[in-house]
Amino acid sequence: MESLLQHLDRFSELLAVSSTTHVSTWDPPTVRRALQWARYLRHIHRRFGRRGPIRAALERRLHNQWRQEGGFGRGPVLGIANFQALGHCDVLLSLRLLENRALGDAARYHLVQQLFPGPGVRDADEEPLQESLARLARRRSAVHILRFNGYRENPNLQEDSLMKTQAELLLERLQQVGKAETERPARFLSSLWERLPQNNFLKVIAVALLQPPLSPRPQEELEPSIHESPGEGSQVLVHWLLGNSEVFAAFCRALPAGLLTSVTSRHPALSPVYLGLLTDWGQRLHYDLQKGIWVGTESQDVPWEELHDRFQSLCQAPPPLKDEVLTALEACKAQDGDFEVPGLSIWTDLLLALRSGAFRKRQVLGLSPGLSSV
């Protein structure tokens, strides 16, 4: 076992060197030995994937290495952060070498020969290396899109092709994150929150929460124990948002009212927390007698118009969300004194405004003006 762990340590060092100028001294035999080493670790992954004690020991060693090297500082796509990554060490090594301009011509030519050996040369038990490499390259391109191309505005984010691509990427990465430690997906998301443009990342999360479950690839269906079940990526996002109050507050403040309504309708666990935030925002407003409107004390307070729009959007959602919102508003109104006169309670004024808006809408549509509900 100790010998295996030492092999793992040395390959981690080799993988780190593959991104440096030291590869300028590599010749074709060095490249060949490096790839053989990576394939040996792929064999270890296949052999010990279902042997709990050995896999757990390898996971601990990888996690300790990864944390010592700075965690996400190396990038979650190319680092060997978990046991699952051992299954494509050759892909990680090959991609780093292909990107490294310091690699000599002879070594690069030998690498390309190894990656593309020609027709008929294939390991029947493995996905062809060139296919794995192409898939990882596509993923890295999507990461680039996620990081640098999220600044355009589109009022219908869930139908924006760029946003959908980013959302699908995020869900796929969550499925691929190792499950050896239950907090690892949360660490992954927290790292993205720290490194990516935050407003764009919040939009990507919202669109991801509205995506249908990912369908597993054929090769992933063979290893159900190391992959998350369909739809679990969305649940990871929900739990992460609920576990980070500041992030969730930014999520609710930055996103359009209609998008948040769709998200909370799809994921009911978010609705009470969202309603709690709206209640807190409303309680910070006071009535300005001279202006005749509800205003905030601080510049960051949510204005009346935004609060009204968010409640209005929620009241247009289908049950049970609409019913929950109206019940919450009635409870706040009752707790505030159950006034019916405008200007005394923000909850009274919100209910009056929402019912007035619903009444005008019914008039336009020629419907019966029932006022018992919004």
Side-chain angles (χ1 to χ4, degrees):
M1 182 64 185
E2 186 58 33
S3 174
L4 178 58
L5 293 174
Q6 290 177 1
H7 281 303
L8 195 60
D9 292 344
R10 290 170 184 168
F11 182 79
S12 296
E13 296 172 1
L14 173 70
L15 193 61
V17 169
S18 67
S19 295
T20 70
T21 57
H22 291 293
V23 299
S24 62
T25 63
W26 286 20
D27 56 9
T30 305
V31 171
R32 183 168 59 253
R33 286 195 299 271
L35 288 174
Q36 288 173 345
W37 206 343
R39 288 166 183 149
Y40 165 73
L41 291 180
R42 188 179 65 183
H43 168 73
I44 294 300
H45 167 265
R46 187 168 62 250
R47 181 178 177 184
F48 297 112
R50 299 184 184 279
R51 296 179 65 174
I54 296 179
R55 174 171 176 161
L58 292 171
E59 281 277 8
R60 285 194 298 271
R61 179 64 65 95
L62 285 168
H63 174 59
N64 290 337
Q65 276 185 341
W66 193 55
R67 184 169 52 190
Q68 291 168 5
E69 293 172 358
F72 287 97
R74 288 191 179 275
V77 174
L78 290 182
I80 302 181
N82 53 57
F83 182 83
Q84 184 61 20
L86 295 180
H88 48 262
C89 281
D90 48 353
V91 178
L92 301 178
L93 175 64
S94 300
L95 191 58
R96 286 195 173 188
L97 290 175
L98 287 172
E99 292 178 334
N100 194 339
R101 295 182 180 181
L103 188 66
D105 292 341
R108 187 178 299 277
Y109 178 74
H110 183 75
L111 174 63
V112 172
Q113 282 186 318
Q114 293 289 310
L115 297 178
F116 303 97
V121 182
R122 175 171 177 169
D123 186 345
D125 296 328
E126 298 289 341
E127 177 185 30
L129 181 57
Q130 56 267 38
E131 292 182 13
S132 299
L133 189 64
R135 179 158 52 85
L136 188 58
R138 287 195 300 270
R139 188 187 305 154
R140 292 201 66 211
S141 297
V143 170
H144 180 82
I145 292 174
L146 180 64
R147 180 172 296 176
F148 296 110
N149 295 295
Y151 296 99
R152 69 181 188 182
E153 294 295 331
N154 188 329
N156 193 9
L157 290 175
Q158 56 266 50
E159 298 300 326
D160 185 285
S161 57
L162 177 60
M163 279 290 166
K164 290 178 71 174
T165 298
Q166 295 175 4
E168 290 167 2
L169 163 73
L170 180 61
L171 292 172
E172 183 176 350
R173 287 295 299 133
L174 285 174
Q175 283 192 329
Q176 293 163 350
V177 169
K179 298 177 65 177
E181 298 181 29
T182 56
E183 73 271 17
R184 178 160 288 157
R187 284 208 319 272
F188 171 68
L189 290 169
S190 296
S191 172
L192 293 180
W193 171 251
E194 293 171 0
R195 297 175 60 198
L196 299 177
Q198 292 183 348
N199 280 346
N200 183 65
F201 185 47
L202 294 173
K203 294 174 184 177
V204 172
I205 290 176
V207 176
L209 289 171
L210 296 175
Q211 297 303 302
L214 291 173
S215 299
R217 294 187 180 90
Q219 64 268 26
E220 293 174 349
E221 294 174 347
L222 299 177
E223 300 182 78
S225 63
I226 57 176
H227 290 278
E228 298 180 358
S229 61
E232 192 172 341
S234 295
Q235 295 308 310
V236 169
L237 289 172
V238 169
H239 292 317
W240 182 72
L241 286 172
L242 293 177
N244 295 269
S245 57
E246 292 184 3
V247 176
F248 188 68
F251 180 78
C252 295
R253 186 66 192 272
L255 298 180
L259 183 59
L260 275 171
T261 297
S262 298
V263 170
T264 50
S265 295
R266 179 78 67 88
H267 301 279
L270 296 175
S271 59
V273 188
Y274 181 34
L275 279 174
L277 273 175
L278 291 177
T279 302
D280 290 341
W281 294 345
Q283 289 173 341
R284 295 176 189 173
L285 303 185
H286 65 276
Y287 194 72
D288 189 316
L289 290 174
Q290 293 183 342
K291 297 180 180 178
I293 57 174
W294 292 89
V295 297
T297 304
E298 306 292 339
S299 59
Q300 67 268 24
D301 287 339
V302 175
W304 159 267
E305 294 80 8
E306 180 180 341
L307 195 66
H308 171 268
D309 290 347
R310 293 188 180 279
F311 273 113
Q312 184 180 55
S313 178
L314 289 170
C315 287
Q316 293 170 352
L321 180 57
K322 172 185 175 180
D323 299 331
E324 292 174 4
V325 174
L326 291 174
T327 300
L329 283 172
E330 292 287 358
C332 289
K333 174 175 173 284
Q335 188 175 10
D336 227 14
D338 209 14
F339 299 106
E340 296 295 339
V341 180
L344 296 179
S345 168
I346 190 170
W347 313 115
T348 297
D349 289 12
L350 274 170
L351 282 166
L352 290 174
L354 292 170
R355 287 168 177 162
S356 175
F359 176 67
R360 287 195 298 270
K361 182 177 180 181
R362 290 187 179 96
Q363 282 185 319
V364 171
L365 297 175
L367 301 176
S368 173
L371 292 177
S372 60
S373 64
V374 174

